[in-house]
Amino acid sequence: MDKYVCKACRYVYDPEKGDKSSGIPPGTAFEDLPNTWVCPRCGLSKDKFEKVI
């Protein structure tokens, strides 16, 4: 599964870790995050992330 980084604050969403603060369990792919999910660090929306190459 791919990692994604927030364009503003550089937070990296790692699907192997999930997002405990938002109740997203480990193993959740970025594509499977709800559209309402926001960056836990700066609050920007999911569409402000880009795939880590």
Side-chain angles (χ1 to χ4, degrees), residues 28-50:
T28 303
F30 185 81
E31 296 81 6
D32 295 332
L33 293 172
N35 290 333
T36 56
W37 181 82
V38 296
C39 178
R41 186 178 294 161
C42 71
L44 285 182
S45 60
K46 182 178 167 182
D47 66 336
K48 302 299 185 211
F49 280 69
E50 60 188 6

Side-chain angles (χ1 to χ4, degrees), residues 8-40:
C9 73
R10 308 310 290 172
Y11 167 83
V12 175
Y13 176 76
D14 183 346
E16 291 184 12
K17 295 179 182 177
D19 177 13
K20 190 175 183 178
S21 67
S22 297
I24 306 296
T28 303
F30 185 81
E31 296 81 6
D32 295 332
L33 293 172
N35 290 333
T36 56
W37 181 82
V38 296
C39 178

